[in-house]
Amino acid sequence: MTACLGYGALSADAELAPIRFERRALRADDVSIRIAYCGICHSDLHQVRNDWRNTAYPCIPGHEIVGHVAAVGRNVTQFKPGDVVAVGCLVDSCQVCESCADREEQHCLKGATFTYNAKDRQTGELTYGGYSDHVVVRDRFVLRVPPSLDLRHVAPLLCAGITTWSPLRRWGVGKGTHVAVVGLGGLGHMAVKLAAALGAEVTMITTSPAKAADARALGAQHVLLSTDAAAMKSAGSRFDFILDTIPSSHDVNPHLALLGRRGVLVLVGAIEPLAPVHGGQLIRNNRALAGSAIGGIAETQEMLDFCGEHGILPNCEMIAMRDVNEAYRRLLANDVKYRFVIDMSTLAAADSGSVGG
Ligand SMILES: [Zn+2]
Ligand SMILES: [Zn+2]
């Protein structure tokens, strides 16, 4: 075991604070990573506050991790100390089931092991995430960061990036595709960048006129105000693909109405009940309503490589570890453009009177 310093919550109503805990000793196929930066995902906030009623404490969140390899287990051949690497939402899976064989480890039939708030497959110990000085991960779940990318901005690709990339790829978005992105937050801003880089014609659908200029700067050719009934009507049924990134309950019917023949609307944000869907909205134009959850490891590497080739990075606001509670408050108020990233070199300075985990 190695001593680790992290930042997490001891209960649903506690602020995040320093926590000392232990990481496992390296197994033969493990990689130990010194964490440089970790993104703050909206789901970190839900998990810490037990919004999904499944949080185990202490909860040390973080699944947008980048850093450098510090040590490797004796059977690891693909990585060596010093390599620039990343870890996303997954740290292990069974490797043998149908989903794993199809390289969709996130849907492992025996249950994928998530980066935090999950149980290690061998010991049953709670997993702890990237708000910490290092992490130990099975080699197959470690990703390579293209050297062309500025490491300070890479972390959000590991969740927000792959969550939007995977459905864009599955539905073949590319040149000639009319894409709409609903909601301009952490996920939405990545969706605009990635869809535009894939060659699609991108429209941002937002309730906020103030976001129009930002959406265009990110790569959207058009902006459609969903609060403008006349504009929504005149948009007709012009979209092939709509990516809905709204993180809470909402009515998808007005967006379904914008889909053309065989159009698909994919949900990636709202993990909660939606307003009732009108069957007629789906039957007309043979529309589909679908969902998508992160992506497999190979697909995540594909996304990182694409971002490396095209110079795509999230827009980040760098914060110090001690400011994470304030960042959560701002996240709830939608006050970030578009992702907070924690500079882990500030972790030690935030460690005043840490508690045992
Ligand atoms: Zn996430
Ligand atoms: Zn599996």
Side-chain angles (χ1 to χ4, degrees):
M1 307 284 267
T2 55
C4 191
L5 175 61
Y7 223 78
L10 294 177
S11 69
D13 50 11
E15 295 258 280
L16 274 68
I19 296 178
R20 291 195 178 277
F21 63 105
E22 293 197 313
R23 297 276 190 193
R24 67 174 181 254
L26 286 194
R27 296 171 188 152
D29 58 353
D30 272 343
V31 176
S32 177
I33 299 162
R34 194 170 63 252
I35 300 172
Y37 303 99
C38 184
I40 298 179
C41 174
H42 215 276
S43 61
D44 297 351
L45 194 150
H46 285 299
Q47 202 72 68
V48 162
R49 298 184 176 194
N50 199 20
D51 289 339
W52 297 322
R53 302 277 160 236
N54 68 351
T55 304
Y57 295 91
C59 178
I60 298 169
H63 58 205
E64 296 181 336
I65 300 167
V66 296
H68 300 86
V69 173
V72 297
R74 64 187 143 78
N75 291 346
V76 175
T77 56
Q78 303 298 310
F79 298 98
K80 60 179 191 314
D83 285 356
V84 183
V85 293
V87 178
C89 304
L90 302 168
V91 288
D92 207 353
S93 73
C94 85
Q95 298 289 306
V96 294
C97 75
E98 206 174 298
S99 299
C100 288
D102 282 345
R103 309 180 97 182
E104 293 188 16
E105 299 91 345
Q106 75 274 34
H107 300 304
C108 174
L109 297 177
K110 295 195 172 152
T113 307
F114 291 93
T115 304
Y116 66 89
N117 198 57
K119 285 193 169 131
D120 179 78
R121 307 187 87 73
Q122 295 186 29
T123 64
E125 290 168 306
L126 192 58
T127 60
Y128 298 114
Y131 298 6
S132 56
D133 54 21
H134 75 281
V135 65
V136 175
V137 179
R138 187 176 179 183
D139 57 354
R140 291 173 189 220
F141 290 78
V142 178
L143 298 141
R144 287 193 180 281
V145 178
S148 60
L149 294 177
D150 180 346
L151 196 60
R152 295 173 301 163
H153 298 256
V154 170
L157 294 177
L158 279 303
C159 180
I162 185 58
T163 298
T164 49
W165 174 257
S166 182
L168 291 170
R169 296 290 285 163
R170 176 175 168 192
W171 274 280
V173 166
K175 213 165 171 51
T177 314
H178 287 95
V179 170
V181 176
V182 186
L184 183 51
L187 292 173
H189 100 287
M190 279 314 306
V192 170
K193 289 189 182 208
L194 291 170
L198 285 165
E201 185 174 324
V202 183
T203 298
M204 167 57 59
I205 300 179
T206 175
T207 55
S208 165
K211 290 189 173 174
D214 286 357
R216 288 201 170 85
L218 293 167
Q221 284 101 322
H222 316 281
V223 175
L224 179 54
L225 277 182
S226 53
T227 48
D228 182 342
M232 288 290 276
K233 192 152 191 248
S234 68
S237 300
R238 63 187 303 261
F239 296 109
D240 305 305
F241 179 90
I242 299 178
L243 195 70
D244 180 341
T245 71
I246 297 172
S248 53
S249 184
H250 60 283
D251 182 4
V252 297
N253 292 292
H255 301 133
L256 286 172
L258 299 171
L259 286 172
R261 191 168 54 87
R262 297 190 175 192
V264 58
L265 184 149
V266 181
L267 293 167
V268 289
I271 310 181
E272 40 192 282
L274 299 173
V277 173
H278 194 300
Q281 290 291 11
L282 293 173
I283 290 168
R284 180 164 180 251
N285 277 347
N286 287 17
R287 293 163 176 148
L289 173 61
S292 187
I294 48 174
I297 294 301
E299 193 173 43
T300 306
Q301 188 64 62
E302 175 196 79
M303 176 274 308
L304 285 170
D305 293 343
F306 180 86
C307 289
E309 279 162 36
H310 294 262
I312 297 170
L313 283 171
N315 293 27
C316 303
E317 181 178 338
M318 191 70 71
I319 65 160
M321 188 76 252
R322 64 157 59 94
D323 296 328
V324 68
N325 291 301
E326 177 58 20
Y328 275 24
R329 283 186 276 276
R330 287 183 50 201
L331 191 58
L332 269 180
N334 229 342
D335 174 26
V336 54
K337 287 183 178 177
Y338 287 93
R339 205 67 150 178
F340 289 113
V341 171
I342 304 163
D343 179 349
M344 217 47 69
S345 70
T346 65
L347 173 62
D351 177 30
S352 49
S354 58
V355 290

